[in-house]
Amino acid sequence: MRTTVGIIGAGPAGLLLARLLHNAGIDSVVLEGRDRAYVEHRQRAGILEQGTVDVLRAAGAGERMDREGLPHEGIELRFAGRRHRVDFPALTGGRSVMVYAQTEVCKDLIALQLADGGPLLFEAEALAVEGAGTDRPRVRFRHGGPDGAEDVLECEYVVGCDGFRGVSRAAVPGGRAFERTYPYGWLGILADVAPSHDELVYARHDRGFALLSMRSPSVSRLYLQVPADTDPDSWSDDEIWAELERRFETRDGWTLDRGPITQKSVTPMRSYVHEPMRHGRLFLAGDAAHIVPPTGAKGLNLAVGDVVTLARALVHRAEKGSDELLDAYSATCLRRVWQAERFSYDMTTLLHPAPGATPFDDRLQLARLDRFASSRAAATDLAEAYTGFPIG
Ligand code: RFL
Ligand code: PHB
């Protein structure tokens, strides 16, 4: 098999890159290790920045998002029984975000790719990237499960969009990793109940962080801070609802509606950046190169920024014969990546009481939160970061 751009991974990064290249007349092949149902149902991100929404629309993948997505113009910060709304458009000159699940973004992009006959191979697991430093890089892969046949995809460029546990990062020699783990994770649930608030609620409580989000007007997505090694089945449904009620409690008597829990899982929290994001003709994009804790809702949006930057550079190369933008790819992306790392770290340490935190630490967290309620400058900084940093 042979193509111009070999893409490993059909998450948001790989699927959107294939779409952007197709729209520019550049051919690609996407290799995805899992089956289609797995990719379409893996429950993950929920918030699209303004820039991500604009990119999906321009790529021709925004039709259902515009029909079914929920535009949000703010979030609520909840602490010490108080509620404070951060108004995005008022603070950022009109920017907002969209609640539209990653599962739906992937479904839309897969349907478009297959409708155009674009090569997208499921159950095609990349085993290794070879020759990244040459002008003929290859992906060795296995098709059709663990006993399937091995094959080789010959490419001009290879893009590793294979997530944090993929194989492509190992083919970037001499790089450097920057990492931080957190002593807690998120217990996440999906519940068949209308969201109890019409915007996301980020709550800091002495017992731990809680987040109220949503997937649709009738499905809620909620998270609880738990110790990192928690078994989700050690929490009964009643215990989850009771703990959520405690952490969301307000002085003005706000109530949380309960409903049947349909999914339950625990997500670890990690910050990670691999530099550089390129070796020769191999480029890393999305979670393959960097991870953020989910508190800032940045992971999917960073992946989108990377592939927009890369698609631009590959088109520039095809049209002008110049490597200038490809050479700048890693540095261009990393600048935005580190802003998102900073914001995600700040949001995480702002809202999660760490195990062993002292009363002094607790007071500092409350003082940091109080800044958003009392200073327009502080609230503007949060609103600008949450609605998204410019791409490129
Ligand atoms: P993905 O989505 O992990 O996709 C990688 C794909 O590569 C495939 N793959 C391979 N294919 C072939 N050969 C191999 N050897 C392969 N190895 C792996 C995998 O099967 C998979 O299909 O990476 P991508 O595309 O970079 O996208 C990144 C985002 O998925 C991720 O950053 C976000 O989900 C993070 N995230 C959030 N991001 C946001 O922007 N907003 C949010 O609100 C948000 N909430 C979240 C999140 C992530 C969470 N979890 C579970 C980590 C909430 C949670 C709970
Ligand atoms: C989600 O809806 O899954 C979600 C929303 C906001 C976050 C993280 C996750 O910060």
Side-chain angles (χ1 to χ4, degrees), residues 44-47 186 200 202 211 213 215 221 223 294-297 386:
R44 295 183 112 185
I47 301 290
W186 282 9
L200 271 66
Y202 289 81
L211 171 62
S213 181
R215 288 292 173 266
R221 176 83 169 146
Y223 297 96
T295 327
Y386 198 96

Side-chain angles (χ1 to χ4, degrees), residues 103-344:
T103 48
E104 307 315 296
V105 173
C106 288
K107 281 179 201 164
D108 295 346
L109 289 167
I110 288 170
L112 283 170
Q113 182 77 359
L114 296 178
D116 289 331
L120 164 54
L121 278 60
F122 290 103
E123 295 180 87
E125 187 194 359
L127 303 172
V129 179
E130 295 167 349
T134 72
D135 57 6
R136 280 278 152 210
R138 302 170 296 282
V139 184
R140 203 152 46 73
F141 69 101
R142 187 167 47 210
H143 206 182
D147 301 323
E150 277 196 27
D151 208 337
V152 173
L153 178 63
E154 312 253 2
C155 314
E156 284 178 34
Y157 300 93
V158 174
V159 187
C161 300
D162 47 352
F164 188 61
R165 308 203 173 280
V167 294
S168 43
R169 196 168 58 248
V172 178
R176 180 159 178 209
F178 301 84
E179 182 166 22
R180 182 188 172 101
T181 55
Y182 301 82
Y184 38 75
W186 282 9
L187 170 66
I189 62 161
L190 266 187
D192 283 337
V193 60
S196 296
H197 193 60
D198 54 7
E199 291 180 337
L200 271 66
V201 180
Y202 289 81
R204 187 253 173 229
H205 191 280
D206 286 343
R207 298 177 63 91
F209 169 73
L211 171 62
L212 181 151
S213 181
M214 61 202 70
R215 288 292 173 266
S216 73
S218 58
V219 176
S220 296
R221 176 83 169 146
L222 294 131
Y223 297 96
L224 279 176
Q225 175 188 349
V226 292
D229 53 358
T230 298
D231 170 6
D233 291 325
S234 66
W235 282 76
S236 73
D237 291 7
D238 274 350
E239 284 169 336
I240 292 174
W241 286 115
E243 189 63 22
L244 286 165
E245 274 165 5
R246 280 192 207 105
R247 296 191 191 178
F248 284 124
E249 194 180 33
T250 64
R251 288 191 201 144
D252 62 3
W254 185 89
T255 55
L256 177 69
D257 293 326
R258 296 186 177 199
I261 294 178
T262 56
Q263 256 190 55
K264 207 162 57 171
S265 61
V266 171
T267 310
M269 314 269 275
R270 187 194 299 271
S271 300
Y272 179 95
V273 180
H274 185 280
E275 296 186 5
M277 291 169 58
R278 171 205 190 174
H279 172 61
R281 286 177 171 243
L282 167 65
F283 297 84
L284 303 178
D287 279 16
H290 41 73
I291 297 277
V292 285
T295 327
K298 286 280 165 266
L300 165 61
N301 297 292
L302 275 185
V304 167
D306 290 351
V307 298
V308 167
T309 305
L310 185 54
R312 228 179 252 157
L314 287 166
V315 171
H316 187 72
R317 160 80 210 195
E319 288 177 354
K320 304 267 193 310
S322 159
D323 281 333
E324 189 191 344
L325 297 187
L326 287 172
D327 289 343
Y329 169 75
S330 181
T332 304
C333 291
L334 283 168
R335 194 161 170 221
R336 185 168 183 269
V337 166
W338 276 109
Q339 283 306 317
E341 292 287 346
R342 173 195 67 79
F343 176 66
S344 305

